[in-house]
Amino acid sequence: LEPANPVFDCVLKGNKGNILKEVDKALAAGEEPGAIINGQLIPAINEVGVLFDKQIYFLPQLISSAQTMQHAIEYLEPMLSKDKDAEPKATIIIATVEGDIHDIGKNLVALMLRNYGYRVLDLGKDVAADIIVDTALKENAQIIGLSALMTTTMMRMKDVVELAKERGCNSKIIVGGAAITQSFADEIGADGYSPDAADCVKLVERLLE
Ligand code: B1M
């Protein structure tokens, strides 16, 4: 378990009322916004996943914790440093695949890519393959980023890869999410896989070289 930490605890307990107060305290103590996200919020929601897995937590707790985390991320987002004058580097379409409503990780990936100067069009969650591919074609996107968190929705990524080929869409397709691995990405013919939001920026930079 993580060391006792009030921000971590608020997410773990789904304490929406106190989270911003605790985030403020951490900021006042000199913690960086990005470090609060990576060092406290993400480990806490992962711990919630473990408790859910063990059936110590059920759906209501899962929902409260997720909302608490999102509350904190929305609050921290404007504080993350951004190079506002830079020209947008490339267009990236991002979405959570059809049937899957998990979007916390996808939102973090979008946030990070925007911070690095990419033009990110976030289509949201539970997005059908044809909407993703059509938007990529219309917007002339260099990259399509797909997120899936469940073994039951992973295969929707393959639908996007196949549809893109079918419709002559040349965007590079990258995939990620808790259930995804490099070998799965290879298997479905995706152009890249990344385990987390920071690594995803490096992957995109590599693919655009
Ligand atoms: Co759900 N859920 N959930 N859930 N949930 C999981 C995924 C699960 C593993 C929990 C478990 O059983 N241990 C399990 C899936 C099991 C499986 O695979 N078959 C599960 C389930 C079963 C469900 C429901 C079916 C529950 C139910 O209704 N009975 C339901 C699904 C509904 C649906 O989608 N149709 C459901 C619902 C929910 C909530 C709505 C309550 C909530 C989501 C809220 C939201 O997203 N707005 C939720 C949550 C919070 C989780 C867990 C606990 C945490 C997910 C999360 O946000 N992690 C999760 C357990 C787990 O994953 N350990 C679980 C934090 C986030 C920062 O990490 O998303 O992995 P992650 O993103 C990372 C990396 O993966 C990567 O970067 C991110 C940042 O570093 N990444 C990418 C992500 N996308 C990327 C894309 C890239 C590159 C990197 O390229 C484009």
Side-chain angles (χ1 to χ4, degrees):
L1 227 72
E2 298 292 319
N5 177 313
V7 172
F8 181 96
D9 278 358
C10 280
V11 174
L12 194 65
K13 295 186 179 127
N15 189 344
K16 280 171 265 182
N18 280 345
I19 182 81
L20 297 188
K21 201 171 71 198
E22 295 302 344
V23 167
D24 271 337
K25 280 193 210 161
L27 289 167
E31 279 218 56
E32 296 291 335
I36 296 176
I37 294 176
N38 290 320
Q40 300 182 49
L41 298 174
I42 293 179
I45 198 77
N46 285 339
E47 182 62 24
V48 169
V50 171
L51 294 172
F52 182 69
D53 229 7
K54 291 184 182 157
Q55 301 193 358
I56 295 168
Y57 271 17
F58 294 94
L59 205 52
Q61 285 99 338
L62 196 63
I63 292 172
S64 290
S65 291
Q67 288 173 341
T68 305
M69 173 163 184
Q70 269 169 323
H71 217 41
I73 289 176
E74 277 163 28
Y75 184 67
L76 289 167
E77 176 170 1
M79 298 174 208
L80 295 168
S81 60
K82 217 176 281 187
D83 189 358
K84 293 183 189 69
D85 299 327
E87 282 283 305
K89 287 193 241 176
T91 296
I92 302 175
I93 306 286
I94 191 161
T96 301
V97 295
E98 187 164 21
D100 199 322
I101 63 162
H102 295 90
D103 66 357
I104 294 175
K106 183 262 300 162
N107 293 344
L108 284 174
V109 171
L111 180 71
M112 196 71 135
L113 290 168
R114 282 197 186 106
N115 284 341
Y116 276 82
Y118 292 99
R119 173 175 176 250
V120 178
L121 303 179
D122 185 349
L123 303 183
K125 57 197 172 190
D126 186 14
V127 186
D130 60 340
I131 294 177
I132 297 170
V133 172
D134 287 349
T135 311
L137 284 167
K138 193 168 129 242
E139 298 291 338
N140 209 355
Q142 283 89 337
I143 306 257
I144 295 175
L146 303 174
S147 185
L149 268 281
M150 300 192 291
T151 47
T152 47
T153 54
M154 286 160 74
M155 275 307 171
R156 302 287 74 75
M157 291 175 153
K158 190 171 181 222
D159 298 350
V160 177
V161 172
E162 284 173 356
L163 193 67
K165 227 178 262 161
E166 220 176 284
R167 297 203 176 160
C169 169
N170 296 322
S171 314
K172 297 250 161 63
I173 301 181
I174 62 172
V175 296
I180 309 304
T181 58
Q182 180 66 55
S183 66
F184 176 75
D186 295 341
E187 184 189 315
I188 64 166
D191 298 291
Y193 156 77
S194 147
D196 61 54
D199 182 82
C200 193
V201 173
K202 292 185 206 143
L203 171 65
V204 164
E205 277 169 0
R206 260 198 325 271
L207 287 174
L208 292 176
E209 261 169 16

